[in-house]
Amino acid sequence: MNKHISPRLNRRAFVIGTAAVGAGLAIGLDLPLGGPAVVRAADGSPEIGAWVVVRPDDTVVIRIARSEMGQGSLTGLAQLVAEELECDWTKVTTEYPTPGQSVARKRVWGDFSTGGSRGIRSSQDYVRKGGATARVMLIQAAADAWKVPASECRAENSVITHTPSGRTTTYGKVAEAAAKLTPPADVKLKDPKDWKLIGKGVNRLDTADKTTGAMVYGIDVKLPGMLNAAIKDCPVFGGKLKSFDEAKIADMKGVKKVVKVGDTAVAVVADTWWHAKTALESLPIVWDEGDNAKVSSESIAKWLAEGLDNSQPAYVGNKNGDAKAAIAGAAKKVEAVYSYPYQNHATMEPMNATALYTADGCEVWCGTQNGEAAFAAVLEASGLPAEKCDVHKVMLGGGFGRRGQTDYVRQAVMIAKQMPGTPIKLLWSREEDMAHGRYHPITQCKMTGAFDANNNLIALHYRLSGQSILFSLRPEALQNGMDPAAFQGVAQSGEAAFGYSVPNLLVEHAMRNPHVPPGFWRGVNVNHNAIYMECFMDELAHAAGQDPLEFRRKLMGNHPKHLAVLNAVAEKIGWTSPAPQGVYRGIAQVMGYGSYVAGAAEISVTDGIKIKVHRIVASTDPGYVVNPAQVERQVAGSFVYGLSALFYGGCTVKDGKIEQTNFDTYNSMRINEMPKVETVMVPSGGFWGGVGEPTIGVAAPAVLNAYFAATGKRIRQVPLRDQNITFA
Amino acid sequence: MANLTINGKTFTLDVEPDTPLLWAIRENAGLTGTKYGCGIAQCGACTVHLDGVAMRSCGISVGEAEGKKITTIEGLASGNTLHRVQEAWIAQDVPQCGYCQSGMIMAVAALLNEKPKPTDADIDEAITNICRCGTFQQVREAIHTIASA
């Protein structure tokens, strides 16, 4: 007899839409007399280690802790497990463990955080071991049944064969026995040269439901008796809610309750979200906007510009020689100031979460990039202990870093807590989403380069001024006040190392933190650092009268991996042969998230303001490529995201609020503006780099450098729409 | 109350005539495949067919949609047979996060109905949906695959 223990809440039989992705596994636990416990999935099938469940029909269920938000990691992680498991890929399916289950099992699935292009690279070793461990146990179970040494057996495609006798069995048949075995202490992983599934561009595992409307996103969650909430948070960041007059909307159709959410926001709860939103728009609200209402883009720009002055304090992020002295005594100097604005993530699906708070506990259903952070937010907002709470992850309608934050989860719980027993779905309007982002940080950068009499670059001073993300979101990660992430792409060493050798170098950051909340926005600090450095490198090349590619190559002798990707794009775009008539080229390279990337563009410019991108090329060396089809899509997608920000993005501040309200004022590229991205993958092996973010850094500088080649004019500010430059 | 014909079925819904069709479809008819993205007919995530024409359902009122044949992503397949756009989308792995793809697929299905062999220029003109993941080249390639089949 199996004794099934339900690990936490007495779950009600909720049905979430049709395709209940991530609805929880309802894990049970066998407690047999003697021997290790067998952990069972919801359907009773046994776990073969925490990562793998094998059903009697040979279906293999692979557990995925990281979140899928379109980047393809769900499929890539399954490939990593399946490679070592030697299972039949056509019978693989996946499921999300919940953060509550993970906590109850001493974080057996590791980190849930899905940001920083970490999904694959930070999980690859332990998920492959999870697959290998299960394979060893399954083979051992077959060998035990046959009373033969396991060393005489092999597994392929979910079939175990006893090589000397030719006897076979399948994973499904031995799973029960395998689950009772003690897992091996250590397993040997395959040599990359023996990989069959890793490196193959297999189709994603989650596509079909995305084509029929069946895929359940947070916005689609339905629970019995559920009500809907619309919210308005003080439009001035840091401001507070003073009062609201709920009597004015009490008679509006569908309105059930008006609730205060923390100190800063008010929500209307109604039968439908449309009713809630309509009533919220009619609700008289008085805000206490505070001093931040005096802040504007102009005042921020002025404050940041002051930080560019060398007399102001700054953190040194990368240094060698004496750049200031070398510049002072140089034969020739070049100086330029660049800037990069706030950007909203503008995920297609606005922020939302559904919460149920009862006497028994609190459960939340939402798209999140970090299930464990969402879980912590539920505990904090509900005031309940971990064993009474859980988070059920559903598909994200885009993440790009925004859904790593948990503000919307916390709000949903705070509303639900005021209506115990009633499930509440909180959905932000697009306008709320634009007004309350966690914005790409704002910065300016002054760069000074110096040459000797022979036009050799002898010094570079890179002085950033502006906002730190870690200061706001992860102050514990600051190093004596310095934000090390601010130097992504221009760092001394590590996963975002500078790719040039300059004898006298000074890279510093004058940290200035305006009141607008910053966040991790796809590519994060690589975005502006790559524009600043790579556009300025182009300026230096021209000042030296040298070809931009050749000028870079001379500085990259000690950085062979950076150089290899640069050479790869140069070759692909045909740098050494002339561009077509009227077409001009730009090139850029950077390192981020452990990967080396480069980009090159071919554009034409009409009337100085209409840009047509004819070709755009990317190269990447992420060490290993798990799924080239998905890498190609991530690279192309990063270029669309990066170029949308370059051409159309930019969030401005007036009276302490963000001015952009929707896609009419914060536009995004359409299909007619985007050429095919030609991606060259040059994985050199021996390390694991990220994929989702690094390439975003090179799209914008490649285009900006091509714009200079075409017009002789430097663009040093983003977005281009502010300079009346747009797509042809 | 309003009577809406969605995917060949008549729905009698307790909804005001000025409610955007999008929200009547999602909240009153319970068909959540049609997505909310902007509410101002900019992004196309809410695209449905009205009498066969691709329309942004956030910008149409329930009153305007009454008496018209409404098709949503849930009604695109014929029974268990997927529409050729859905089949191509699966075969060529077009979606990333997939949130905009209901609207994208509806827009593409209407385009192919009108122009069975669209040129790149036809695609550029007809497909104006926002996709923040940036699936555009897979969308274009899949359209050409369908057209050349």
Side-chain angles (χ1 to χ4, degrees), chain A residues 69-70 203-204 207-208 210-213 215 217 219-220 222 228 253 272-275 344-346 348-350 396-398 400 427-430 630 633-634 636-637 640-641 644 662-664 668-672 676-677, chain B residues 14 16 19-20 23 26-28 30 32-33 35-38 40 42-43 45 73-74 82 86 89-93 95-102 105 123-124 127-134 136-141:
Chain A
M69 50 189 157
N203 275 17
R204 300 172 62 113
T207 297
K210 292 174 178 171
T211 69
T212 61
M215 180 60 78
Y217 299 83
I219 195 174
D220 304 324
K222 286 180 210 160
N228 293 274
K253 187 155 185 202
T272 65
W273 186 77
W274 182 251
H275 284 149
N344 191 302
H345 296 82
M348 287 304 295
E349 180 194 20
L396 287 71
F400 313 118
L427 168 64
W428 290 14
S429 65
R430 173 60 60 195
Q630 290 311 314
R633 284 159 176 75
Q634 282 303 292
V640 173
Y641 207 71
S644 289
N662 206 317
F663 286 122
D664 53 349
S668 196
M669 285 177 84
R670 316 296 164 114
I671 200 169
N672 64 321
K676 181 181 163 69
V677 178
Chain B
D14 177 16
E16 302 81 65
T19 303
W23 294 102
R26 284 186 57 83
E27 301 198 292
N28 302 93
T32 54
K35 299 300 193 235
Y36 165 64
C38 68
I40 57 167
Q42 284 282 321
C43 77
I73 187 74
E74 290 91 344
L82 291 179
Q86 293 168 313
W89 252 233
I90 292 168
Q92 293 181 231
D93 244 358
Q96 288 187 28
C97 89
Y99 190 81
C100 75
Q101 296 295 334
S102 294
I105 288 167
I123 294 169
D124 286 348
I127 307 303
T128 57
N129 301 45
I130 294 177
C131 171
R132 293 286 286 164
C133 294
F136 298 133
Q137 71 197 53
Q138 282 74 37
V139 169
R140 190 185 295 281
E141 284 162 14

Side-chain angles (χ1 to χ4, degrees), chain A residues 66-86:
Chain A
R66 312 275 180 175
S67 298
E68 177 59 47
M69 50 189 157
Q71 85 280 31
S73 297
L74 180 131
T75 303
L77 288 164
Q79 281 176 264
L80 291 170
V81 175
E83 176 71 58
E84 294 290 341
L85 181 56
E86 295 286 2

Side-chain angles (χ1 to χ4, degrees), chain A residues 443-500:
Chain A
T443 55
Q444 296 180 10
C445 189
K446 182 164 96 176
M447 288 162 287
T448 312
F451 295 94
D452 65 14
N454 297 319
N455 272 327
N456 295 308
L457 184 69
I458 54 164
L460 177 67
H461 182 190
Y462 184 96
R463 187 177 171 99
L464 269 175
S465 174
Q467 201 157 7
S468 155
I469 303 170
L470 298 187
F471 176 85
S472 174
L473 295 180
R474 288 187 58 211
E476 74 281 3
L478 297 175
Q479 296 171 356
N480 295 320
M482 183 178 83
D483 177 353
F487 305 105
Q488 275 184 304
V490 289
Q492 191 133 34
S493 58
E495 65 171 48
F498 193 47
Y500 304 107

Side-chain angles (χ1 to χ4, degrees), chain A residues 334-523:
Chain A
V334 178
E335 189 175 291
V337 174
Y338 282 70
S339 66
Y340 195 86
Y342 287 117
Q343 300 282 2
N344 191 302
H345 296 82
T347 59
M348 287 304 295
E349 180 194 20
M351 297 304 109
N352 65 78
T354 301
L356 172 63
Y357 179 94
T358 67
D360 298 327
C362 185
E363 286 183 274
V364 165
W365 291 258
C366 66
T368 171
Q369 287 178 241
N370 190 342
E372 291 178 308
F375 185 64
V378 173
L379 301 191
E380 188 199 318
S382 70
L384 294 170
E387 62 273 17
K388 291 194 166 192
C389 297
D390 214 344
V391 170
H392 308 278
K393 298 195 298 179
V394 291
M395 185 62 69
L396 287 71
F400 313 118
R402 180 64 184 88
R403 285 190 160 93
Q405 299 306 308
T406 57
D407 45 345
Y408 57 100
V409 176
R410 200 171 279 112
Q411 287 177 343
V413 173
M414 286 194 281
I415 298 167
K417 203 174 171 181
Q418 298 179 60
M419 301 184 78
T422 303
I424 303 290
K425 177 157 76 189
L426 168 69
L427 168 64
W428 290 14
S429 65
R430 173 60 60 195
E431 289 76 12
E432 186 70 8
D433 203 274
M434 291 299 300
H436 286 286
R438 292 292 180 269
Y439 304 87
H440 184 290
I442 192 165
T443 55
Q444 296 180 10
C445 189
K446 182 164 96 176
M447 288 162 287
T448 312
F451 295 94
D452 65 14
N454 297 319
N455 272 327
N456 295 308
L457 184 69
I458 54 164
L460 177 67
H461 182 190
Y462 184 96
R463 187 177 171 99
L464 269 175
S465 174
Q467 201 157 7
S468 155
I469 303 170
L470 298 187
F471 176 85
S472 174
L473 295 180
R474 288 187 58 211
E476 74 281 3
L478 297 175
Q479 296 171 356
N480 295 320
M482 183 178 83
D483 177 353
F487 305 105
Q488 275 184 304
V490 289
Q492 191 133 34
S493 58
E495 65 171 48
F498 193 47
Y500 304 107
S501 299
V502 184
N504 298 285
L505 176 73
L506 178 60
V507 176
E508 52 185 357
H509 176 212
M511 191 191 292
R512 306 215 156 192
N513 295 306
H515 78 299
V516 176
F520 300 97
W521 188 99
R522 191 177 195 172

Side-chain angles (χ1 to χ4, degrees), chain A residues 493-560:
Chain A
S493 58
E495 65 171 48
F498 193 47
Y500 304 107
S501 299
V502 184
N504 298 285
L505 176 73
L506 178 60
V507 176
E508 52 185 357
H509 176 212
M511 191 191 292
R512 306 215 156 192
N513 295 306
H515 78 299
V516 176
F520 300 97
W521 188 99
R522 191 177 195 172
V524 192
N525 297 300
V526 168
N527 284 292
H528 51 263
N529 284 337
I531 289 177
Y532 300 158
M533 194 62 244
E534 287 305 295
C535 289
F536 191 64
M537 203 40 84
D538 209 68
E539 296 203 32
L540 293 173
H542 284 278
Q546 294 170 33
D547 174 76
L549 174 64
E550 284 309 316
F551 182 77
R552 283 176 172 82
R553 280 177 173 161
K554 283 197 288 185
L555 303 171
M556 296 174 76
N558 294 329
H559 307 276

